[in-house]
Amino acid sequence: MNVVQSIADVRRIRRESGGSWGLVPTMGFLHAGHVSLVERARRENDFVGVSIFVNPTQFGPTEDLAAYPRDLARDLQLLREAGADLVWTPPVEEVYPAGFQTYVTVEEVTKPLEGAARPTHFRGVATVVAKLFNVFQPDRAYFGQKDAQQAVVIRQMARDLNFPLEVVICPIVREADGLALSSRNVYLTPEQRTAAPVLNRALRAARTAWEAGERDGEHLRQIMRAVLDAEPLARPDYVSAADPVTLQELGDAGRGVLLSMAVRVGRARLIDNVLLVNG
Ligand code: PAF
């Protein structure tokens, strides 16, 4: 496994390899969810590239950039075991050199949900992912469904900017009690960790109602809010039953719905979702 820092080295290895490449973009502090992306990329491509870069432009001024968890040695060990071929760990100046001033802005789908709470977040995500696509030039790029809005934004960007690659969205990986894996789960105290599966319980309650024929978007949101309200440690930012493509809130959820939420538990801001489609 090659571990490199410069764009020139990634490009050289990519050029000299021949064969198809899968890219797994990450911010490090890897868990089984990331490993599942690398394993899928391994199955579907000749070579697998991974980026580890805590991207400053997707953090707001009051967010956890400096404190974001990091453990490069452990990450590299996990990636070696999962069969990655190339890992790019650039310093910030390699990605954003002095004088950098070009950003990618995806419009409508970045406005609601996470975008409403984190107004500059998706500009940072779209910009760094566009750069990763240019540097690696992968045939396929792998992202988790856990960041459902991010998946929609990246698909939209790849389509709008004609990136010649396939965006592959992989299922959420969960703990046994239903908590979605996230690098930010380390912020939870034991008591908060016990409370955190409430997100999954709220989603499951709405899912059960939808599967039993409930199609009223507002009722689905109420069902989720009621479950969250019963957990004193959970402070919801938003609860949503939205169109899976436009991310607009639905009155009628008959043609499919993305149920999602962001909930503060202690200092962690947890997100989770379930995508329900007909047939
Ligand atoms: O999902 C993430 O970890 C990040 O948003 C990504 C896609 C690696 C961009 O920094």
Side-chain angles (χ1 to χ4, degrees):
M1 184 174 82
N2 279 300
V3 182
V4 301
Q5 295 208 311
S6 74
I7 292 173
D9 280 341
V10 176
R11 290 215 157 123
R12 180 182 47 75
I13 291 167
R14 170 77 179 90
R15 203 175 42 245
E16 290 172 358
S17 68
S20 65
W21 277 80
L23 169 65
V24 181
T26 83
M27 297 207 302
F29 211 68
L30 305 180
H31 51 64
H34 298 109
V35 171
S36 76
L37 303 183
V38 175
E39 287 172 349
R40 170 114 178 237
R42 177 75 283 156
R43 288 196 298 276
E44 297 180 351
N45 301 276
D46 297 319
F47 299 97
V48 178
V50 178
S51 60
I52 299 180
F53 179 61
V54 181
N55 173 35
T57 62
Q58 69 188 77
F59 288 77
T62 61
E63 293 179 14
D64 56 349
L65 172 61
Y68 195 82
R70 292 163 164 90
D71 189 344
L72 184 60
R74 185 174 163 277
D75 289 347
L76 294 179
Q77 184 56 32
L78 284 172
L79 292 174
R80 221 170 263 119
E81 286 162 17
D85 297 288
L86 170 61
V87 183
W88 187 38
T89 60
V92 173
E93 322 78 73
E94 184 73 359
V95 180
Y96 299 112
F100 184 89
Q101 55 183 293
T102 303
Y103 293 89
V104 177
T105 306
V106 181
E107 298 281 342
E108 296 309 315
V109 293
T110 64
K111 288 180 182 160
L113 307 175
E114 290 300 292
R118 309 177 69 191
T120 57
H121 174 67
F122 287 117
R123 184 178 89 138
V125 170
T127 301
V128 81
V129 171
K131 287 179 69 92
L132 290 166
F133 286 177
N134 280 327
V135 170
F136 277 88
Q137 306 203 352
D139 298 278
R140 294 175 196 82
Y142 296 80
F143 300 88
Q145 173 63 22
K146 158 98 181 348
D147 294 298
Q149 187 172 12
Q150 171 171 283
V152 171
V153 169
I154 289 168
R155 273 217 172 100
Q156 184 75 45
M157 180 195 73
R159 193 164 51 233
D160 290 350
L161 298 185
N162 307 99
F163 280 105
L165 52 82
E166 185 189 345
V167 175
V168 182
I169 307 302
C170 304
I172 298 176
V173 178
R174 297 179 181 282
E175 303 277 9
D177 63 6
L179 177 64
L181 296 194
S182 163
S183 306
R184 290 187 167 100
N185 291 351
V186 291
Y187 296 148
L188 298 167
T189 64
E191 192 193 11
Q192 291 159 359
R193 172 65 189 80
T194 307
V198 70
L199 280 80
N200 184 239
R201 282 205 306 282
L203 290 165
R204 288 215 327 260
R207 169 190 215 141
T208 303
W210 190 85
E211 286 171 352
E214 178 60 78
R215 292 294 183 261
D216 184 317
E218 186 48 31
H219 284 168
L220 293 170
R221 289 184 284 273
Q222 278 165 9
I223 289 167
M224 293 187 280
R225 277 190 218 109
V227 177
L228 295 172
D229 285 349
E231 171 48 68
L233 294 183
R235 289 170 290 128
D237 258 11
Y238 65 80
V239 166
S240 165
D243 181 281
V245 176
T246 66
L247 304 181
Q248 295 303 303
E249 290 305 315
L250 289 173
D252 174 7
R255 280 180 304 157
V257 59
L258 175 68
L259 304 173
S260 70
M261 59 184 59
V263 179
R264 288 180 194 275
V265 180
R267 63 182 273 245
R269 183 173 178 281
L270 305 177
I271 59 171
D272 201 351
N273 70 87
V274 61
L275 181 59
L276 301 175
V277 286
N278 283 312

